[in-house]
Amino acid sequence: MLNIRETVVLGWAPTPTQYRALVRSSLMSLCNSPDSSYVSFFGLGSYVPMTSSELPTLQAIETLSAKAAAALDKELMSTGAFSIDQLMELAGLSVSQAVYRVHPISKGPRILVAVGPGNNGGDGLVAARHLRHYGYQPTIYYPKRSKNELYQRLAKQLEDLDVPFVDDFPAALNSADHVVDAIFGFSFSGEVREPFPAVIRAMEETKIPVTSVDAPSSWNIEKGPPTSGVGSLFHPDVLVSLTAPKPLVKFFHGRHFIGGRFVTPTIAKKYDFDVPEYEGLDQVVEVGPSGQKL
Ligand SMILES: NC(=O)C1=CN([C@@H]2O[C@H](COP(=O)(O)OP(=O)(O)OC[C@H]3O[C@@H](n4cnc5c(N)ncnc54)[C@H](OP(=O)(O)O)[C@@H]3O)[C@@H](O)[C@H]2O)[C@H](O)CC1
Ligand SMILES: [K+]
């Protein structure tokens, strides 16, 4: 038996947000009914035939392009009156909470944090500090240290907690229980330059679970994993999208969290995404493939 669902909309033109919400709810109810074979998109006036194997390819998740994410970031720090330290602290706190959820200390306390030269790396340094306070044993791989005062303070805070910094990532991987990939975020572009190709390759090959911050490092922010070469086989287990998922999320199949609990409703409306429903004190929300809260 077919279970046919249709949304009839007459004389009403939805906004892009309303459109996406309707498509998402259609898909969610469709996914909840195992015998569904058709989905109807309003306004088309006809059914769009689908097989069950086609269902997972339909994504209604709301995403932010790299350009929009950078503009949003700037706006938070100008009209939003936030400082970069504040945003990074909350971003890193989100990452630490996601790691705590997917990898409780009972699974092993040794967390290897791969830190890149920009703000994505800064989120990793902050996350490492919180993880240390939760009782984990973080180790930092930070090959391209920035001269920027903020990063220097973040590194000093870790040194004061006796968190070790190491130079050999593949060797450190041999004694880690979990990896945090904080190498590149939404400003990554092109092919991975030295000294990071060996690090990405090690993360491609390892059996140790990897949590990526904002983007799997080496992935194109819009198009996902490279089709060949470094990063083409990199599929982290966990992704923590900050503020909102980036388009690359369509290629990601692991556990997905959204963090960065600092976005105001006005900013979210302007950039056309929904702020997830954070519970209580949580700094992250776990979401499914269509962005629905789990
Ligand atoms: N509002 C928010 O969501 C916040 C997010 N945060 C985090 O910030 C990053 C974005 O940070 P940004 O500093 O803009 O950039 P990245 O960290 O992604 O990367 C910049 C550095 O990466 C180098 N880079 C770029 N491409 C390559 C490449 N192909 N090979 C090697 N290195 C590369 C780049 O080097 P350059 O030489 O090009 O300058 C930069 O050094 C976001 O994703 C979040 O994680 C904020 O922390 C809080 C607010
Ligand atoms: K990353």
Side-chain angles (χ1 to χ4, degrees):
M1 276 294 289
L2 295 179
N3 180 3
I4 299 173
R5 295 168 189 273
E6 185 174 21
T7 307
V8 179
V9 183
L10 292 172
W12 173 62
T15 65
T17 303
Q18 289 166 331
Y19 183 88
R20 281 205 305 268
L22 273 166
V23 172
R24 186 171 47 201
S25 65
S26 288
L27 286 172
M28 280 168 65
S29 50
L30 191 73
C31 291
N32 286 337
S33 45
D35 58 346
S36 295
S37 300
Y38 283 80
V39 64
S40 165
F41 291 99
F42 56 88
L44 294 181
S46 60
Y47 290 113
V48 179
M50 295 174 67
T51 64
S52 56
S53 65
E54 286 175 305
L55 282 174
T57 64
L58 268 175
Q59 300 271 356
I61 193 162
E62 295 168 328
T63 61
L64 256 188
S65 69
K67 213 169 150 191
L72 188 157
D73 216 26
K74 269 198 186 143
E75 188 157 347
L76 283 169
M77 287 187 277
S78 51
T79 52
F82 280 96
S83 67
I84 182 65
D85 302 39
Q86 282 181 293
L87 298 177
M88 202 173 274
E89 190 64 32
L90 289 167
L93 182 62
S94 303
V95 173
S96 70
Q97 287 197 356
V99 171
Y100 186 83
R101 291 237 199 128
V102 300
H103 187 97
I105 297 184
S106 56
K107 286 191 173 182
R110 301 167 304 173
I111 313 288
L112 176 58
V113 185
V115 176
N119 289 349
N120 196 258
D123 298 346
L125 295 172
V126 171
R129 170 161 39 79
H130 289 292
L131 289 165
R132 175 72 188 81
H133 285 298
Y134 303 162
Y136 291 89
Q137 295 162 15
T139 293
I140 312 295
Y141 171 76
Y142 188 18
K144 273 188 85 178
R145 288 207 189 198
S146 168
K147 291 200 175 78
N148 179 305
E149 189 233 346
L150 167 58
Y151 302 102
Q152 293 196 353
R153 283 192 283 110
L154 294 175
K156 166 80 164 65
Q157 290 159 17
L158 289 167
E159 282 156 9
D160 287 351
L161 288 166
D162 295 325
V163 171
F165 284 67
V166 295
D167 293 329
D168 188 340
F169 184 82
L173 206 47
N174 287 331
S175 47
D177 301 309
H178 195 96
V179 179
V180 173
D181 153 32
I183 304 178
F184 307 123
F186 62 60
S187 297
F188 172 81
S189 64
E191 286 186 14
V192 182
R193 297 190 297 272
E194 294 298 339
F196 296 104
V199 182
I200 305 291
R201 278 202 202 93
M203 290 197 296
E204 282 180 322
E205 286 163 14
T206 187
K207 298 258 186 303
I208 298 166
V210 178
T211 291
S212 285
V213 179
D214 213 22
S217 298
S218 77
W219 285 25
N220 180 285
I221 302 303
E222 325 291 335
K223 297 181 194 149
T227 47
S228 61
V230 177
S232 56
L233 301 175
F234 179 40
H235 290 281
D237 305 78
V238 183
L239 173 65
V240 185
S241 293
L242 294 165
T243 311
K246 313 302 174 290
L248 55 73
V249 78
K250 297 182 192 87
F251 302 89
F252 173 74
H253 302 295
R255 289 182 70 177
H256 184 203
F257 294 83
I258 298 178
R261 195 175 180 180
F262 41 64
V263 178
T264 60
T266 312
I267 289 223
K269 193 169 169 211
K270 178 170 174 185
Y271 287 86
D272 201 18
F273 64 89
D274 293 320
V275 177
E277 286 172 38
Y278 293 94
E279 295 273 339
L281 306 176
D282 291 354
Q283 299 295 319
V284 282
V285 174
E286 186 165 5
V287 296
S290 14
Q292 79 280 18
K293 185 176 173 184
L294 294 181

